[in-house]
Amino acid sequence: MSLPHFAVTAEPLSVERLAADLEAVSRYRGEGCGAVCTFIGVVRATHQGRKVTHLEYEAFSPLAVKAFQRIADEIAAEWPFATVAIHHRIGRLQVGDASVVIAAAAAHRAEAFHVCRYAIERVKQIAPVWKHEFFEDGDAWVEGAATDIHDDAARQRARQTACA
Amino acid sequence: MRVTVQLFARLREVAGRSDLECQVAAGATVRDVWVAVAAEHPALAPFGGSVSCARNEDFARMDTLVDEGDGIAFLPPVSGGAR
């Protein structure tokens, strides 16, 4: 049974399932699927030198799914036969847990790598997901940039990073 | 007009609540909703320059017009994290 390509879930993530699903759906599109590139975002043990005890991820789930879909639309415009899937986890996560998984399928490996990197850069820029870090001696919200989906300069930076 | 408001993450923490209702005048924008919310919760005021917003579960701008019964969400800066 096919997975949704864009999801926010409290359940543990599986990049393998996502990759297998993407290969199946892209097998007969365009030139077919010659490469699947995957990314796993992992909860790291330290943040700016402080020891992390656990994280809490929060999302505006319906909007996050729309953000992931928007990223997919951007990808489709630039890499027409590539496909991407993005799953983000929310709730309490331990060090070493996967917080986000991305799979990108394409006919050739260059596109697959580019699409995968582009997707995670854009998730970090525009997805309404917030990370609350807990340390032995306190807690802090990790804050980044404002979520401006119309910020084309940000999108260009993501593209340049992905294709570097 | 009556709208419902959701606050996320740090905004929720600062305001002490995640859901509220707000009255705004006809022709109001999302910015006007923020002003009303910040008036009731002054601790939110410093965030006015960095919040993003959504209207009915879709991305919006602060100058987007609102309608009776709209669901508005205010979003603090997202957790981009390090590279």
Side-chain angles (χ1 to χ4, degrees), chain B residues 38-59:
Chain B
E40 261 192 54
H41 304 275
L44 286 176
F47 294 89
S50 63
V51 290
S52 304
C53 58
R55 174 178 173 258
N56 299 329
E57 298 183 351
D58 214 341
F59 290 100

mmCIF file of all heavy atoms in Angstrom, chain B residues 38-59:
data_model
loop_
_atom_site.group_PDB
_atom_site.id
_atom_site.type_symbol
_atom_site.label_atom_id
_atom_site.label_comp_id
_atom_site.label_asym_id
_atom_site.label_seq_id
_atom_site.Cartn_x
_atom_site.Cartn_y
_atom_site.Cartn_z
ATOM 1 N N ALA B 38 -1.946 40.891 20.538
ATOM 2 C CA ALA B 38 -0.831 41.442 21.324
ATOM 3 C C ALA B 38 -1.337 42.436 22.368
ATOM 4 O O ALA B 38 -0.709 42.615 23.414
ATOM 5 C CB ALA B 38 0.192 42.094 20.396
ATOM 6 N N ALA B 39 -2.461 43.067 22.069
ATOM 7 C CA ALA B 39 -3.036 43.996 23.053
ATOM 8 C C ALA B 39 -3.510 43.226 24.287
ATOM 9 O O ALA B 39 -3.342 43.679 25.417
ATOM 10 C CB ALA B 39 -4.201 44.764 22.427
ATOM 11 N N GLU B 40 -4.070 42.048 24.056
ATOM 12 C CA GLU B 40 -4.522 41.211 25.171
ATOM 13 C C GLU B 40 -3.378 40.489 25.862
ATOM 14 O O GLU B 40 -3.492 40.116 27.034
ATOM 15 C CB GLU B 40 -5.480 40.143 24.635
ATOM 16 C CG GLU B 40 -6.940 40.478 24.817
ATOM 17 C CD GLU B 40 -7.813 39.256 24.545
ATOM 18 O OE1 GLU B 40 -7.565 38.205 25.175
ATOM 19 O OE2 GLU B 40 -8.698 39.385 23.686
ATOM 20 N N HIS B 41 -2.302 40.251 25.121
ATOM 21 C CA HIS B 41 -1.142 39.523 25.648
ATOM 22 C C HIS B 41 0.120 40.323 25.323
ATOM 23 O O HIS B 41 0.852 39.989 24.382
ATOM 24 C CB HIS B 41 -1.064 38.117 25.039
ATOM 25 C CG HIS B 41 -2.311 37.309 25.233
ATOM 26 N ND1 HIS B 41 -2.542 36.579 26.372
ATOM 27 C CD2 HIS B 41 -3.387 37.152 24.453
ATOM 28 C CE1 HIS B 41 -3.721 35.980 26.269
ATOM 29 N NE2 HIS B 41 -4.253 36.321 25.118
ATOM 30 N N PRO B 42 0.379 41.349 26.105
ATOM 31 C CA PRO B 42 1.472 42.281 25.787
ATOM 32 C C PRO B 42 2.851 41.623 25.665
ATOM 33 O O PRO B 42 3.709 42.136 24.957
ATOM 34 C CB PRO B 42 1.447 43.269 26.967
ATOM 35 C CG PRO B 42 0.078 43.165 27.537
ATOM 36 C CD PRO B 42 -0.375 41.761 27.305
ATOM 37 N N ALA B 43 3.025 40.469 26.313
ATOM 38 C CA ALA B 43 4.321 39.785 26.217
ATOM 39 C C ALA B 43 4.617 39.347 24.784
ATOM 40 O O ALA B 43 5.762 39.050 24.443
ATOM 41 C CB ALA B 43 4.347 38.581 27.152
ATOM 42 N N LEU B 44 3.577 39.290 23.937
ATOM 43 C CA LEU B 44 3.768 38.894 22.540
ATOM 44 C C LEU B 44 4.314 40.031 21.680
ATOM 45 O O LEU B 44 4.855 39.787 20.607
ATOM 46 C CB LEU B 44 2.437 38.434 21.935
ATOM 47 C CG LEU B 44 1.904 37.070 22.361
ATOM 48 C CD1 LEU B 44 0.534 36.854 21.738
ATOM 49 C CD2 LEU B 44 2.858 35.961 21.964
ATOM 50 N N ALA B 45 4.147 41.240 22.148
ATOM 51 C CA ALA B 45 4.454 42.400 21.291
ATOM 52 C C ALA B 45 5.832 42.359 20.631
ATOM 53 O O ALA B 45 5.947 42.643 19.441
ATOM 54 C CB ALA B 45 4.258 43.689 22.087
ATOM 55 N N PRO B 46 6.893 41.963 21.356
ATOM 56 C CA PRO B 46 8.221 41.979 20.718
ATOM 57 C C PRO B 46 8.342 41.040 19.524
ATOM 58 O O PRO B 46 9.277 41.169 18.734
ATOM 59 C CB PRO B 46 9.150 41.503 21.844
ATOM 60 C CG PRO B 46 8.401 41.738 23.102
ATOM 61 C CD PRO B 46 6.960 41.594 22.766
ATOM 62 N N PHE B 47 7.401 40.104 19.384
ATOM 63 C CA PHE B 47 7.520 39.126 18.305
ATOM 64 C C PHE B 47 6.883 39.602 17.001
ATOM 65 O O PHE B 47 6.982 38.938 15.992
ATOM 66 C CB PHE B 47 6.862 37.803 18.731
ATOM 67 C CG PHE B 47 7.575 37.144 19.866
ATOM 68 C CD1 PHE B 47 7.245 37.437 21.188
ATOM 69 C CD2 PHE B 47 8.593 36.240 19.619
ATOM 70 C CE1 PHE B 47 7.921 36.841 22.246
ATOM 71 C CE2 PHE B 47 9.266 35.626 20.673
ATOM 72 C CZ PHE B 47 8.937 35.932 21.984
ATOM 73 N N GLY B 48 6.233 40.763 17.060
ATOM 74 C CA GLY B 48 5.471 41.239 15.904
ATOM 75 C C GLY B 48 6.280 41.371 14.631
ATOM 76 O O GLY B 48 5.760 41.197 13.530
ATOM 77 N N GLY B 49 7.561 41.655 14.777
ATOM 78 C CA GLY B 49 8.396 41.850 13.602
ATOM 79 C C GLY B 49 8.874 40.555 12.967
ATOM 80 O O GLY B 49 9.343 40.554 11.819
ATOM 81 N N SER B 50 8.759 39.437 13.675
ATOM 82 C CA SER B 50 9.336 38.194 13.159
ATOM 83 C C SER B 50 8.326 37.078 12.951
ATOM 84 O O SER B 50 8.682 36.003 12.479
ATOM 85 C CB SER B 50 10.440 37.707 14.103
ATOM 86 O OG SER B 50 9.895 37.397 15.376
ATOM 87 N N VAL B 51 7.059 37.307 13.288
ATOM 88 C CA VAL B 51 6.078 36.234 13.098
ATOM 89 C C VAL B 51 5.698 36.095 11.639
ATOM 90 O O VAL B 51 5.698 37.059 10.878
ATOM 91 C CB VAL B 51 4.777 36.438 13.918
ATOM 92 C CG1 VAL B 51 5.033 36.253 15.388
ATOM 93 C CG2 VAL B 51 4.117 37.763 13.622
ATOM 94 N N SER B 52 5.352 34.859 11.284
ATOM 95 C CA SER B 52 4.685 34.581 10.021
ATOM 96 C C SER B 52 3.247 34.199 10.363
ATOM 97 O O SER B 52 2.910 34.078 11.542
ATOM 98 C CB SER B 52 5.356 33.432 9.282
ATOM 99 O OG SER B 52 6.712 33.699 9.075
ATOM 100 N N CYS B 53 2.437 33.997 9.325
ATOM 101 C CA CYS B 53 1.032 33.744 9.617
ATOM 102 C C CYS B 53 0.405 32.804 8.600
ATOM 103 O O CYS B 53 0.938 32.602 7.499
ATOM 104 C CB CYS B 53 0.259 35.053 9.661
ATOM 105 S SG CYS B 53 0.384 35.995 8.132
ATOM 106 N N ALA B 54 -0.708 32.235 9.006
ATOM 107 C CA ALA B 54 -1.498 31.396 8.115
ATOM 108 C C ALA B 54 -2.957 31.771 8.288
ATOM 109 O O ALA B 54 -3.375 32.217 9.372
ATOM 110 C CB ALA B 54 -1.280 29.916 8.437
ATOM 111 N N ARG B 55 -3.728 31.582 7.225
ATOM 112 C CA ARG B 55 -5.166 31.831 7.261
ATOM 113 C C ARG B 55 -5.854 30.584 6.736
ATOM 114 O O ARG B 55 -5.589 30.155 5.614
ATOM 115 C CB ARG B 55 -5.523 33.041 6.400
ATOM 116 C CG ARG B 55 -7.018 33.279 6.266
ATOM 117 C CD ARG B 55 -7.318 34.525 5.425
ATOM 118 N NE ARG B 55 -8.750 34.619 5.200
ATOM 119 C CZ ARG B 55 -9.354 34.279 4.063
ATOM 120 N NH1 ARG B 55 -8.647 33.868 3.035
ATOM 121 N NH2 ARG B 55 -10.664 34.371 3.958
ATOM 122 N N ASN B 56 -6.692 29.991 7.581
ATOM 123 C CA ASN B 56 -7.411 28.770 7.192
ATOM 124 C C ASN B 56 -6.462 27.705 6.665
ATOM 125 O O ASN B 56 -6.665 27.107 5.611
ATOM 126 C CB ASN B 56 -8.515 29.102 6.186
ATOM 127 C CG ASN B 56 -9.534 30.063 6.764
ATOM 128 O OD1 ASN B 56 -9.779 30.056 7.988
ATOM 129 N ND2 ASN B 56 -10.109 30.908 5.922
ATOM 130 N N GLU B 57 -5.403 27.483 7.439
ATOM 131 C CA GLU B 57 -4.433 26.423 7.170
ATOM 132 C C GLU B 57 -3.722 26.595 5.837
ATOM 133 O O GLU B 57 -3.355 25.605 5.191
ATOM 134 C CB GLU B 57 -5.094 25.038 7.262
ATOM 135 C CG GLU B 57 -5.647 24.762 8.642
ATOM 136 C CD GLU B 57 -6.242 23.372 8.801
ATOM 137 O OE1 GLU B 57 -6.388 22.658 7.792
ATOM 138 O OE2 GLU B 57 -6.568 23.019 9.946
ATOM 139 N N ASP B 58 -3.534 27.845 5.443
ATOM 140 C CA ASP B 58 -2.707 28.106 4.275
ATOM 141 C C ASP B 58 -1.841 29.326 4.554
ATOM 142 O O ASP B 58 -2.227 30.192 5.334
ATOM 143 C CB ASP B 58 -3.565 28.330 3.032
ATOM 144 C CG ASP B 58 -2.882 27.783 1.779
ATOM 145 O OD1 ASP B 58 -1.646 27.580 1.806
ATOM 146 O OD2 ASP B 58 -3.584 27.553 0.776
ATOM 147 N N PHE B 59 -0.673 29.366 3.907
ATOM 148 C CA PHE B 59 0.237 30.486 4.126
ATOM 149 C C PHE B 59 -0.457 31.796 3.773
ATOM 150 O O PHE B 59 -1.191 31.878 2.796
ATOM 151 C CB PHE B 59 1.495 30.320 3.279
ATOM 152 C CG PHE B 59 2.389 29.212 3.746
ATOM 153 C CD1 PHE B 59 2.364 27.978 3.110
ATOM 154 C CD2 PHE B 59 3.247 29.397 4.824
ATOM 155 C CE1 PHE B 59 3.192 26.938 3.552
ATOM 156 C CE2 PHE B 59 4.074 28.380 5.265
ATOM 157 C CZ PHE B 59 4.045 27.138 4.629
#
